Amino acid sequence: MRPSGRKLSEIRPISIETGITKHAEGSCLIKVGDTHVLCTATLEEKAPSFLKGTGLGWVTAEYGMLPRATNSRTRREAAAGKQSGRTQEIQRLIGRALRAGVDRSALGERQIVVDCDVIQADGGTRCAAITGGWVALRLAVNKLLKARLITSDPIMDHVAAMSCGIYAGQAIADLDYAEDSEAGVDGNFIMTGAGKLVEVQMTAEGATFSRDQMNALLDLAEAGIAELVAAQKAAVA
Protein backbone atom coordinates (compact mmCIF):
# COMPACT_ATOMS: atom_id res chain seq x y z
CA MET A 1 0.00 0.00 0.00
CA ARG A 2 1.31 3.44 -0.94
CA PRO A 3 1.34 6.08 1.84
CA SER A 4 -1.15 8.12 -0.20
CA GLY A 5 -3.44 5.14 -0.76
CA ARG A 6 -3.10 5.51 -4.52
CA LYS A 7 -2.91 2.56 -6.88
CA LEU A 8 0.55 1.74 -8.25
CA SER A 9 -0.17 3.43 -11.59
CA GLU A 10 -2.34 6.25 -10.23
CA ILE A 11 -0.99 9.78 -10.57
CA ARG A 12 -1.83 12.63 -8.22
CA PRO A 13 -4.71 15.00 -9.02
CA ILE A 14 -3.54 17.65 -11.48
CA SER A 15 -4.86 21.11 -12.19
CA ILE A 16 -3.46 23.86 -14.43
CA GLU A 17 -4.83 27.39 -14.08
CA THR A 18 -3.70 29.85 -16.74
CA GLY A 19 -3.47 33.65 -16.77
CA ILE A 20 -2.16 33.78 -13.20
CA THR A 21 0.02 36.88 -13.54
CA LYS A 22 -0.80 40.21 -15.19
CA HIS A 23 2.44 41.04 -16.96
CA ALA A 24 3.93 37.77 -18.22
CA GLU A 25 3.19 36.80 -21.83
CA GLY A 26 2.29 33.32 -20.61
CA SER A 27 1.61 32.06 -17.09
CA CYS A 28 0.04 29.19 -15.18
CA LEU A 29 -0.18 27.69 -11.73
CA ILE A 30 0.24 23.93 -11.94
CA LYS A 31 -0.79 21.75 -9.00
CA VAL A 32 0.28 18.11 -8.96
CA GLY A 33 -1.11 16.89 -5.68
CA ASP A 34 0.50 19.06 -3.02
CA THR A 35 3.29 20.25 -5.31
CA HIS A 36 2.40 23.73 -6.61
CA VAL A 37 4.56 25.59 -9.13
CA LEU A 38 4.04 29.04 -10.66
CA CYS A 39 5.32 29.13 -14.24
CA THR A 40 5.71 32.32 -16.28
CA ALA A 41 7.07 32.86 -19.79
CA THR A 42 8.69 36.12 -20.88
CA LEU A 43 9.25 37.13 -24.50
CA GLU A 44 12.48 38.94 -25.29
CA GLU A 45 12.95 40.33 -28.80
CA LYS A 46 16.62 39.47 -28.74
CA ALA A 47 18.40 36.14 -28.84
CA PRO A 48 21.51 35.41 -26.74
CA SER A 49 24.71 36.76 -28.26
CA PHE A 50 25.96 33.30 -29.24
CA LEU A 51 22.99 33.00 -31.64
CA LYS A 52 23.42 36.40 -33.31
CA GLY A 53 23.05 36.11 -37.08
CA THR A 54 21.99 32.45 -37.00
CA GLY A 55 18.24 33.04 -37.37
CA LEU A 56 17.64 30.72 -34.42
CA GLY A 57 15.69 31.49 -31.28
CA TRP A 58 16.26 30.21 -27.75
CA VAL A 59 14.18 28.89 -24.88
CA THR A 60 15.73 28.87 -21.43
CA ALA A 61 14.50 28.45 -17.87
CA GLU A 62 15.11 29.57 -14.32
CA TYR A 63 13.97 27.61 -11.26
CA GLY A 64 13.62 28.53 -7.64
CA MET A 65 11.96 27.37 -4.45
CA LEU A 66 10.30 29.75 -2.00
CA PRO A 67 11.68 29.63 1.55
CA ARG A 68 8.65 27.85 3.05
CA ALA A 69 7.87 25.59 0.12
CA THR A 70 9.13 22.75 2.33
CA ASN A 71 8.59 21.61 5.94
CA SER A 72 11.33 23.88 7.24
CA ARG A 73 12.46 27.25 5.92
CA THR A 74 15.15 27.18 3.27
CA ARG A 75 17.33 30.26 3.01
CA ARG A 76 16.89 32.24 -0.20
CA GLU A 77 19.75 31.55 -2.60
CA ALA A 78 20.02 35.28 -3.32
CA ALA A 79 20.85 35.80 0.35
CA ALA A 80 23.57 33.18 0.08
CA GLY A 81 25.02 34.96 -2.95
CA LYS A 82 24.92 31.98 -5.31
CA GLN A 83 22.66 29.28 -6.69
CA SER A 84 23.01 25.75 -5.42
CA GLY A 85 24.21 23.00 -7.71
CA ARG A 86 20.74 21.43 -7.49
CA THR A 87 19.05 24.60 -8.71
CA GLN A 88 21.45 24.98 -11.63
CA GLU A 89 20.99 21.35 -12.64
CA ILE A 90 17.19 21.57 -12.52
CA GLN A 91 16.87 24.78 -14.51
CA ARG A 92 19.19 23.44 -17.19
CA LEU A 93 17.03 20.32 -17.35
CA ILE A 94 13.86 22.40 -17.76
CA GLY A 95 15.44 24.45 -20.53
CA ARG A 96 16.66 21.37 -22.41
CA ALA A 97 13.27 19.71 -22.08
CA LEU A 98 11.28 22.67 -23.38
CA ARG A 99 13.66 23.27 -26.30
CA ALA A 100 13.05 19.69 -27.42
CA GLY A 101 9.53 20.66 -28.44
CA VAL A 102 10.45 23.89 -30.25
CA ASP A 103 11.49 24.62 -33.84
CA ARG A 104 14.01 27.33 -33.06
CA SER A 105 14.23 28.53 -36.66
CA ALA A 106 10.49 29.23 -36.69
CA LEU A 107 10.88 31.16 -33.43
CA GLY A 108 13.33 33.57 -35.03
CA GLU A 109 16.10 35.44 -33.24
CA ARG A 110 14.27 35.99 -29.97
CA GLN A 111 14.34 34.37 -26.56
CA ILE A 112 11.63 33.05 -24.27
CA VAL A 113 12.55 32.74 -20.60
CA VAL A 114 10.41 30.37 -18.53
CA ASP A 115 10.54 31.03 -14.78
CA CYS A 116 9.42 28.21 -12.50
CA ASP A 117 8.89 29.11 -8.85
CA VAL A 118 7.96 26.35 -6.42
CA ILE A 119 5.33 27.63 -3.99
CA GLN A 120 4.83 24.29 -2.24
CA ALA A 121 6.91 21.14 -2.60
CA ASP A 122 5.77 17.55 -2.12
CA GLY A 123 7.97 15.69 -4.57
CA GLY A 124 8.35 15.98 -8.34
CA THR A 125 8.94 19.73 -8.47
CA ARG A 126 11.17 19.59 -11.56
CA CYS A 127 8.62 17.44 -13.39
CA ALA A 128 5.76 19.78 -12.49
CA ALA A 129 7.92 22.73 -13.60
CA ILE A 130 8.49 21.16 -17.02
CA THR A 131 4.81 20.28 -17.47
CA GLY A 132 3.61 23.72 -16.37
CA GLY A 133 6.50 25.48 -18.10
CA TRP A 134 5.31 24.08 -21.42
CA VAL A 135 1.85 25.60 -20.86
CA ALA A 136 3.35 29.03 -20.12
CA LEU A 137 5.56 28.69 -23.20
CA ARG A 138 2.57 27.72 -25.37
CA LEU A 139 0.62 30.78 -24.21
CA ALA A 140 3.55 33.11 -24.89
CA VAL A 141 3.99 31.71 -28.41
CA ASN A 142 0.27 32.16 -29.02
CA LYS A 143 0.78 35.90 -28.45
CA LEU A 144 3.59 35.95 -31.02
CA LEU A 145 1.34 34.23 -33.54
CA LYS A 146 -1.59 36.52 -32.81
CA ALA A 147 0.60 39.59 -33.28
CA ARG A 148 1.93 38.06 -36.53
CA LEU A 149 5.49 38.45 -35.35
CA ILE A 150 6.09 34.90 -36.55
CA THR A 151 4.48 33.17 -39.52
CA SER A 152 4.56 29.54 -38.42
CA ASP A 153 4.06 27.85 -35.06
CA PRO A 154 7.43 26.93 -33.50
CA ILE A 155 5.81 24.56 -30.97
CA MET A 156 6.26 21.12 -32.52
CA ASP A 157 4.80 19.01 -29.71
CA HIS A 158 3.82 18.90 -26.07
CA VAL A 159 6.52 18.20 -23.48
CA ALA A 160 5.67 16.84 -20.03
CA ALA A 161 7.47 15.01 -17.24
CA MET A 162 6.77 12.59 -14.42
CA SER A 163 8.76 10.83 -11.72
CA CYS A 164 8.40 7.07 -11.22
CA GLY A 165 10.30 4.77 -8.90
CA ILE A 166 10.64 1.53 -6.99
CA TYR A 167 9.01 1.87 -3.57
CA ALA A 168 8.74 -1.09 -1.18
CA GLY A 169 9.84 -3.32 -4.05
CA GLN A 170 7.10 -2.18 -6.43
CA ALA A 171 7.13 0.12 -9.46
CA ILE A 172 4.94 3.18 -8.81
CA ALA A 173 3.98 6.30 -10.75
CA ASP A 174 4.26 9.94 -9.73
CA LEU A 175 6.13 9.81 -6.42
CA ASP A 176 5.20 12.25 -3.68
CA TYR A 177 7.75 13.24 -1.04
CA ALA A 178 6.94 10.38 1.36
CA GLU A 179 7.58 7.88 -1.42
CA ASP A 180 10.51 9.72 -3.00
CA SER A 181 12.39 9.93 0.30
CA GLU A 182 12.12 6.16 0.79
CA ALA A 183 12.36 4.95 -2.81
CA GLY A 184 15.01 2.41 -3.70
CA VAL A 185 15.05 3.66 -7.29
CA ASP A 186 14.06 7.13 -8.46
CA GLY A 187 13.52 8.13 -12.09
CA ASN A 188 12.45 11.28 -13.93
CA PHE A 189 10.97 10.76 -17.38
CA ILE A 190 10.44 13.55 -19.92
CA MET A 191 8.42 12.79 -23.04
CA THR A 192 6.68 14.50 -25.92
CA GLY A 193 2.98 14.29 -26.66
CA ALA A 194 3.80 11.75 -29.35
CA GLY A 195 5.44 9.52 -26.75
CA LYS A 196 9.04 10.23 -27.77
CA LEU A 197 11.64 10.31 -25.00
CA VAL A 198 13.37 13.62 -24.34
CA GLU A 199 15.40 12.69 -21.27
CA VAL A 200 15.50 9.97 -18.62
CA GLN A 201 17.20 10.33 -15.23
CA MET A 202 17.31 7.10 -13.21
CA THR A 203 19.23 6.53 -10.01
CA ALA A 204 19.68 3.59 -7.67
CA GLU A 205 19.00 5.39 -4.40
CA GLY A 206 19.02 2.34 -2.16
CA ALA A 207 19.10 -0.67 -4.48
CA THR A 208 20.13 -1.49 -8.01
CA PHE A 209 17.45 -2.19 -10.59
CA SER A 210 16.93 -4.59 -13.47
CA ARG A 211 16.08 -3.97 -17.12
CA ASP A 212 12.59 -5.33 -16.45
CA GLN A 213 12.10 -2.84 -13.62
CA MET A 214 13.32 0.00 -15.83
CA ASN A 215 10.83 -1.04 -18.52
CA ALA A 216 8.04 -1.17 -15.92
CA LEU A 217 8.85 2.39 -14.82
CA LEU A 218 8.92 3.56 -18.43
CA ASP A 219 5.49 2.03 -19.04
CA LEU A 220 4.11 3.83 -15.98
CA ALA A 221 5.68 7.11 -17.10
CA GLU A 222 4.28 6.79 -20.61
CA ALA A 223 0.73 6.28 -19.33
CA GLY A 224 1.02 9.01 -16.70
CA ILE A 225 2.52 11.56 -19.08
CA ALA A 226 -0.35 10.94 -21.49
CA GLU A 227 -2.67 12.15 -18.70
CA LEU A 228 -0.48 15.21 -18.15
CA VAL A 229 -0.54 16.04 -21.86
CA ALA A 230 -4.34 15.81 -21.79
CA ALA A 231 -4.34 18.32 -18.91
CA GLN A 232 -2.04 20.62 -20.90
CA LYS A 233 -4.37 20.46 -23.89
CA ALA A 234 -7.37 21.32 -21.73
CA ALA A 235 -5.49 24.24 -20.13
CA VAL A 236 -4.55 25.92 -23.42
CA ALA A 237 -7.71 25.08 -25.36
Side-chain angles (χ1 to χ4, degrees), residues 28-55:
C28 77
L29 175 62
I30 181 169
K31 297 181 179 179
V32 183
D34 284 333
T35 289
H36 302 170
V37 184
L38 173 64
C39 302
T40 58
T42 301
L43 292 170
E44 296 180 351
E45 287 296 325
K46 182 181 178 182
S49 58
F50 65 87
L51 290 174
K52 187 175 181 179
T54 64

Side-chain angles (χ1 to χ4, degrees), residues 163-166 175 180 183-188 201-205 217:
S163 64
C164 298
I166 307 295
L175 283 67
D180 184 37
V185 177
D186 183 21
N188 297 306
Q201 300 177 327
M202 286 192 66
T203 307
E205 300 282 359
L217 293 179

